[in-house]
Amino acid sequence: EPYVHLPYFFSDLFEFGYEAVGEVDGRLETFADWTDEHRTGTVYYLDRGQKVRGVMLCNLWGKLDEARRLIREGRAATPERLRGAIR
């Protein structure tokens, strides 16, 4: 039986905390959807086909299942589709 759970990692750095799931790789294209610039928001990591491969949740808590769902969907993502997808 295949193992399909997407594990996550987290850290708290003074006033900044984050949770990341999937492939969070600096070589991937990113799209940031901030509600408070560089403090609160979501950073999406996209492959060449514009599919979400990883998600970093910055000062957002309890949203890992939503991030996992976006990764598992495997659909091409546009900034319009991603903006506000996780809040």
Side-chain angles (χ1 to χ4, degrees):
E1 195 173 316
Y3 182 79
V4 296
H5 179 72
L6 287 171
Y8 81 103
F9 63 94
F10 68 94
S11 187
D12 290 314
L13 308 162
F14 304 102
E15 301 295 318
F16 184 82
Y18 69 89
E19 297 176 321
V21 63
E23 192 175 341
V24 182
D25 185 330
R27 294 173 291 188
L28 295 171
E29 181 181 340
T30 60
F31 172 72
D33 182 22
W34 298 107
T35 54
D36 184 6
E37 189 80 22
H38 302 291
R39 178 156 175 77
T40 305
T42 307
V43 179
Y44 300 94
Y45 292 78
L46 310 169
D47 66 14
R48 289 186 180 152
Q50 298 300 294
K51 295 177 184 171
V52 177
R53 299 295 306 238
V55 177
M56 183 166 61
L57 304 162
C58 303
N59 289 322
L60 292 174
W61 312 106
K63 305 293 183 175
L64 284 170
D65 288 337
E66 294 175 47
R68 288 180 175 120
R69 179 185 49 76
L70 279 175
I71 294 167
R72 284 193 183 109
E73 281 179 357
R75 295 185 329 175
T78 62
E80 293 79 25
R81 180 174 169 256
L82 293 175
R83 193 168 285 112
I86 300 176
R87 295 276 165 135

